[in-house]
């Protein structure tokens, strides 16, 4: 009897103050519990040092996560599943995430991003701060790759408990730890992606 190869998953996040880092950590834990091999990486900071150092909370978050490797092109090459987590910036992904995506042209051009599952999560300071458009534009990006979209939809009642966003976990970032409802939504989304990826992989 042969054992099925594990699902290989990369979670790419960017986090200015810590919310999306928390989200990525919860997703990584849930995906590992579902049997995936998970690599957690962060989009490289692109803001000038004088800007980062001028805001204590931003600087502290960068220092807290110094142990997390910066995302590279190779991190998306030999994987089965990709999950992005990013703050919302004016209705779209943070510029650090977009800068990382801009490095993926060669990988996309070779077809290496096709047929991987893709899901996304986000946060904003208020529920109507562009969270849905951020997730939708990330899914449009993944369509260009030929990736297989795995939004959570309304596949579990926990989605309603945390705001009811069918596109992906979306958190109101207020400087507080994630709520139990937010964590449950994130866990469901990550587990669902691993499970569907396993089915697709056969």
């Amino acid at each position: 009897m042969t054992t099925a190869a594990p699902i290989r998953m990369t979670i790419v996040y960017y986090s200015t103050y810590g919310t999306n880092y928390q989200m990525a950590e919860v997703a990584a834990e849930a995906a590992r519990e579902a049997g995936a091999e998970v690599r957690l990486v962060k989009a490289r900071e692109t803001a000038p040092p004088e800007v980062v150092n001028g805001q204590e909370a931003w600087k502290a978050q960068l220092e807290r996560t110094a142990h997390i490797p910066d995302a590279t092109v190779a991190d998306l090459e030999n994987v089965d599943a990709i999950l992005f987590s990013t703050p919302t910036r004016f209705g779209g992904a943070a510029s650090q995430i977009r800068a990382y995506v801009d490095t993926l042209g060669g990988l996309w051009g070779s077809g290496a991003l096709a047929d991987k599952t893709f899901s996304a999560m986000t946060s904003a300071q208020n529920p109507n701060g562009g969270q849905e458009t951020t997730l939708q534009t990330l899914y449009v990006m993944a369509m260009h790759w030929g990736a297989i979209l795995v939004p959570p939809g309304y596949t579990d009642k926990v989605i309603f408990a945390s705001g009811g966003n069918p596109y992906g976990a979306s958190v109101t970032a207020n400087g507080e730890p994630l709520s139990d409802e937010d964590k449950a939504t994130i866990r469901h989304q990550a587990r669902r992606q691993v499970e569907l990826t396993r089915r697709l992989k056969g």
Side-chain angles (χ1 to χ4, degrees), residues 49-129:
E50 60 270 21
V51 173
V52 176
N53 293 334
Q55 296 189 42
E56 198 54 44
W58 193 345
K59 178 183 176 184
Q61 174 61 22
L62 197 60
E63 292 171 349
R64 266 195 307 271
T65 56
H67 63 289
I68 305 289
D70 287 344
T72 68
V73 171
D75 288 317
L76 300 192
E77 193 164 9
N78 296 308
V79 297
D80 307 299
I82 300 166
L83 175 62
F84 274 22
S85 189
T86 175
T88 289
R89 295 287 186 267
F90 305 105
S95 61
Q96 291 83 353
I97 285 285
R98 296 198 300 269
Y100 173 63
V101 169
D102 284 344
T103 70
L104 303 175
L107 210 56
W108 164 79
S110 70
L113 293 173
D115 302 330
K116 302 178 189 299
T117 64
F118 180 87
S119 201
M121 309 185 296
T122 191
S123 68
Q125 287 186 329
N126 57 74
N128 298 313

Side-chain angles (χ1 to χ4, degrees):
M1 178 176 158
T2 58
T3 304
I7 300 303
R8 294 163 300 175
M9 183 180 202
T10 293
I11 298 176
V12 182
Y13 79 92
Y14 175 74
S15 192
T16 308
Y17 303 118
T19 298
N20 282 270
Y21 172 58
Q22 291 180 62
M23 295 172 72
E25 285 275 330
V26 171
E29 180 183 24
R32 290 184 181 114
E33 289 172 355
E37 290 180 355
V38 180
R39 179 165 172 78
L40 178 64
V41 294
K42 65 179 185 286
R44 185 175 62 84
E45 183 58 75
T46 58
E50 60 270 21
V51 173
V52 176
N53 293 334
Q55 296 189 42
E56 198 54 44
W58 193 345
K59 178 183 176 184
Q61 174 61 22
L62 197 60
E63 292 171 349
R64 266 195 307 271
T65 56
H67 63 289
I68 305 289
D70 287 344
T72 68
V73 171
D75 288 317
L76 300 192
E77 193 164 9
N78 296 308
V79 297
D80 307 299
I82 300 166
L83 175 62
F84 274 22
S85 189
T86 175
T88 289
R89 295 287 186 267
F90 305 105
S95 61
Q96 291 83 353
I97 285 285
R98 296 198 300 269
Y100 173 63
V101 169
D102 284 344
T103 70
L104 303 175
L107 210 56
W108 164 79
S110 70
L113 293 173
D115 302 330
K116 302 178 189 299
T117 64
F118 180 87
S119 201
M121 309 185 296
T122 191
S123 68
Q125 287 186 329
N126 57 74
N128 298 313
Q131 298 185 27
E132 290 191 355
T133 55
T134 295
L135 296 172
Q136 289 166 353
T137 53
L138 286 170
Y139 288 132
V140 169
M141 170 201 74
M143 288 180 194
H144 284 251
W145 295 352
I148 300 164
L149 307 185
V150 186
Y154 294 116
T155 55
D156 193 285
K157 62 183 180 181
V158 299
I159 305 299
F160 294 97
S162 64
N165 193 332
Y167 306 111
S170 56
V171 171
T172 300
N174 54 14
E176 299 296 323
L178 297 177
S179 69
D180 289 343
E181 292 81 8
D182 288 332
K183 289 179 181 178
T185 300
I186 294 165
R187 289 191 187 103
H188 171 67
Q189 182 171 346
R191 285 194 303 264
R192 172 174 159 79
Q193 186 176 6
V194 172
E195 289 162 4
L196 287 176
T197 305
R198 184 176 291 115
R199 289 187 213 171
L200 290 166
K201 193 174 179 181

